[in-house]
Amino acid sequence: MTSHGYDLDALRVTFPAWSFFRSDAGVFYATRRGVRLCDTQIDAGLQQTVSADDVATFVALLHDQQVRV
């Protein structure tokens, strides 16, 4: 699936632990696959789902989530 010049399949390969989609409004979303975060993880800054209006911010959020793990 390609969204306005950006390949969501590339994100799926780069971040296999996440499920991706883009809304009709153009917002990018990713939610963790098969993982339910506990309160301690959320307090530490992990997010179950991330979203952003642009690809650069979206990818930065995903990288940040990887670093926090």
Side-chain angles (χ1 to χ4, degrees), residues 16-56:
W18 295 82
S19 178
F20 295 91
F21 67 97
R22 190 166 185 204
S23 73
D24 292 340
V27 178
F28 292 93
Y29 289 90
T31 192
R32 293 177 188 274
R33 290 179 184 263
V35 174
R36 194 75 184 150
L37 299 176
C38 68
D39 289 341
T40 304
Q41 291 169 308
I42 292 169
D43 290 344
L46 293 177
Q47 297 178 25
Q48 190 71 43
T49 301
V50 296
S51 66
D53 292 330
D54 62 88
V55 172

Side-chain angles (χ1 to χ4, degrees), residues 1-12 21-22 28 55:
M1 168 186 274
T2 302
S3 296
H4 297 281
Y6 198 84
D7 187 359
L8 288 179
D9 286 333
L11 285 174
R12 291 180 180 106
F21 67 97
R22 190 166 185 204
F28 292 93
V55 172

